[in-house]
């Protein structure tokens, strides 16, 4: 892992419909904070870009014959390999290529991404680039890059605690952090989560800003989540954890896939 | 739980872009099988309906003034209460109201829903109907209804096993089954999962069909996933599991929220 790399360029992908929202204010504050640290920042504000959420045959205009059977992954691969993806997707892939740190900022809707942000992953993480290649989970096209989620929830923190009714926040974010981002080789920094994100008074906002500044204060030394790498800890054939690791662990479920050192 | 109710009406929400795909063939077979059992079936084929995935201000045409700050939940509530949601959303809510069983069928993309299906939940599960009400997790507008996922994965079954690299399939589906469907009061039937869903030969398809028929053979007595109800097992204030339940369990993470009886 290249966790000692210095972060210079940050891409923030913003998935909230309203720029004049709490999330919008937090985005502004984050950009300002990162720029004041001398970092370059780009923002993909998906709603303002009228981002297309659905994978359709129009995504492969030159490598798919309209009206014929769409196979998705092979056609995504052909379009990627032949440099025939659509300009909106190519632009996002170029921003990803450019960035040292990728931040996905969104309100937690029904336990996860708003559809538009899922559509960003579905379309930008094309075959050949992000999947359909042997390197995965700790290696891949985005190895060396870092990723971080910035999430707001309506529910209180206790609802997302170890015994909270929604399930632990880290488990809810696992499909995104591990199954999407770590999958492509990125190193995952701890998320910045704002609970009870409604009726935000000035006092509450200032206290959130203080947490935000602390979170980003020394961003290069933020300790990543220690997900296990496919190349090291899994059976190459079954993709199951090596038995000695399972035997030595008291964990179950998603937690098994995080090193305890 | 009203698990003894007889299922007569089934809504299938289909989230695959290609009707002439494996998932499309499985949809056809499922409809045929259910109809041959005397059930009524409706299909919401989201791609063919040109479903709009993004929550936008256009979703609240009469209760939101264009260009003003969009607050999402309160405006979703106002539109629902005043019967001013858009016709596409109302039509889906009416199908939900009609159905005894709701099946969501989709390919697992990046650990979850394709964006279009998330957009169906984001828009159809409006405030006042599906959330913004005290009854949740086992009670709510959809209490008495059953729900089931039909999912295909590219990866092999071992990748989704208890120690598989993606995490256990039941944990990956928990945010959908528990956080979206059980949340609204539905009873969750076990999912029908097809692994390694590519290069499907006739033999493989026939074997999958046999599994499908067995899964649906006695649908009224399929044993639901025993998620714990908010009204019974959680602290009313913190929404954390009651301490005696935590103390009596060896589970952690999502599994804590499933009864073992």
């Amino acid at each position: 892992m290249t966790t000692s790399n210095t972060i210079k360029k940050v891409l923030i992908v913003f998935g909230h419909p309203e720029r004049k929202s709490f999330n919008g204010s937090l985005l502004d504050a984050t950009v300002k904070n990162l720029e004041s640290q001398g970092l370059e920042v780009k923002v993909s504000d998906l709603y303002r870009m009228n981002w297309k959420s659905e994978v359709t045959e129009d995504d492969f205009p030159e490598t798919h014959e309209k009206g014929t059977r769409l196979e998705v992954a092979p056609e995504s691969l052909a379009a990627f390999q032949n440099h025939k993806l659509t300009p909106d997707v190519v632009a996002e892939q170029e921003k990803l290529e450019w960035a040292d740190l990728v931040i996905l900022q969104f309100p937690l809707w029904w336990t996860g991404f708003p559809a538009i942000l899922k559509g960003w992953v579905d379309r930008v993480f094309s075959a050949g680039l992000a999947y359909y290649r042997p390197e995965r989970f700790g290696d891949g096209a985005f190895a060396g890059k870092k990723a971080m989620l910035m999430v707001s929830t309506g529910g209180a923190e206790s609802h997302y605690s170890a015994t909270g009714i929604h399930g632990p926040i880290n488990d809810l974010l696992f499909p995104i952090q591990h199954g999407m981002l770590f999958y492509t080789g990125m190193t995952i920094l701890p998320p910045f989560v704002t609970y009870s994100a409604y009726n935000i008074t000035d006092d509450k906002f200032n206290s959130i800003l203080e947490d935000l500044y602390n979170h980003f204060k020394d961003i290069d030394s933020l300790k990543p989540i220690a997900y296990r790498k496919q190349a090291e800890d899994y059976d190459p054939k079954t993709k199951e954890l090596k038995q000695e690791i399972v035997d030595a662990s008291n964990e179950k479920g998603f937690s098994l896939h995080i090193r305890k050192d």
Side-chain angles (χ1 to χ4, degrees), chain A:
Chain A
M1 259 189 297
T2 54
T3 53
S4 58
N5 284 355
T6 306
I7 294 168
K8 297 196 179 82
K9 291 170 278 185
V10 182
L11 169 64
I12 306 180
V13 185
F14 183 70
H16 194 286
E18 178 56 71
R19 203 61 183 68
K20 299 185 289 289
S21 59
F22 161 68
N23 268 286
S25 303
L26 204 62
L27 171 62
D28 292 338
T30 305
V31 172
K32 211 166 151 183
N33 180 265
L34 293 172
E35 288 181 344
S36 76
Q37 295 190 34
L39 306 180
E40 260 187 279
V41 182
K42 291 185 183 180
V43 174
S44 288
D45 182 348
L46 298 181
Y47 269 94
R48 258 56 57 190
M49 292 157 66
N50 285 312
W51 182 257
K52 171 179 178 279
S53 303
E54 306 83 14
V55 172
T56 65
E57 61 178 2
D58 294 336
D59 290 356
F60 319 113
E62 297 195 44
T63 52
H64 172 82
E65 194 186 336
K66 267 218 156 190
T68 62
R69 178 180 157 154
L70 179 68
E71 296 206 52
V72 190
E75 300 188 69
S76 173
L77 179 66
F80 173 73
Q81 287 177 335
N82 295 296
H83 306 285
K84 298 296 184 194
L85 288 165
T86 55
D88 59 345
V89 168
V90 171
E92 294 308 299
Q93 291 182 341
E94 286 171 356
K95 287 182 210 165
L96 274 172
E97 180 58 35
W98 167 87
D100 305 314
L101 167 65
V102 180
I103 296 176
L104 306 183
Q105 187 189 353
F106 59 99
L108 199 72
W109 284 0
W110 295 105
T111 73
F113 280 161
I116 200 169
L117 193 45
K118 183 58 178 13
W120 184 84
V121 171
D122 286 348
R123 295 184 59 232
V124 175
F125 282 21
S126 65
L129 178 68
Y131 71 106
Y132 250 42
R133 47 190 293 163
E135 319 83 21
R136 316 186 307 171
F137 291 110
D139 285 305
F142 303 142
K145 299 180 187 301
K146 292 174 180 173
M148 182 199 291
L149 304 185
M150 284 181 61
V151 185
S152 67
T153 75
E157 184 164 4
S158 63
H159 304 190
Y160 297 92
S161 72
T163 63
I165 194 162
H166 283 289
I169 189 71
N170 286 335
D171 284 350
L172 283 177
L173 299 181
F174 182 90
I176 298 174
Q177 294 182 321
H178 178 267
M180 301 182 206
L181 301 170
F182 182 69
Y183 183 101
T184 66
M186 296 189 206
T187 298
I188 313 304
L189 302 184
F192 183 79
V193 183
T194 308
Y195 299 98
S196 307
Y198 54 89
N199 297 339
I200 309 268
T201 60
D202 283 353
D203 275 359
K204 191 166 165 183
F205 189 67
N206 286 332
S207 139
I208 293 167
L209 280 193
E210 205 178 307
D211 292 344
L212 182 79
Y213 298 152
N214 282 328
H215 195 76
F216 282 99
K217 194 171 53 185
D218 196 1
I219 198 169
D220 286 315
S221 53
L222 262 180
K223 198 167 169 242
I225 304 176
Y227 293 128
R228 298 180 182 281
K229 297 178 90 165
Q230 173 171 299
E232 292 169 6
D233 292 344
Y234 296 82
D235 179 285
K237 210 181 152 105
T238 66
K239 305 288 192 294
E240 291 179 301
L241 263 178
K242 290 179 181 168
Q243 195 57 47
E244 62 265 30
I245 294 175
V246 177
D247 291 344
S249 173
N250 294 318
E251 299 296 333
K252 283 197 261 191
F254 293 154
S255 305
L256 255 178
H257 302 279
I258 302 177
R259 291 192 318 273
K260 286 290 169 295
D261 46 36

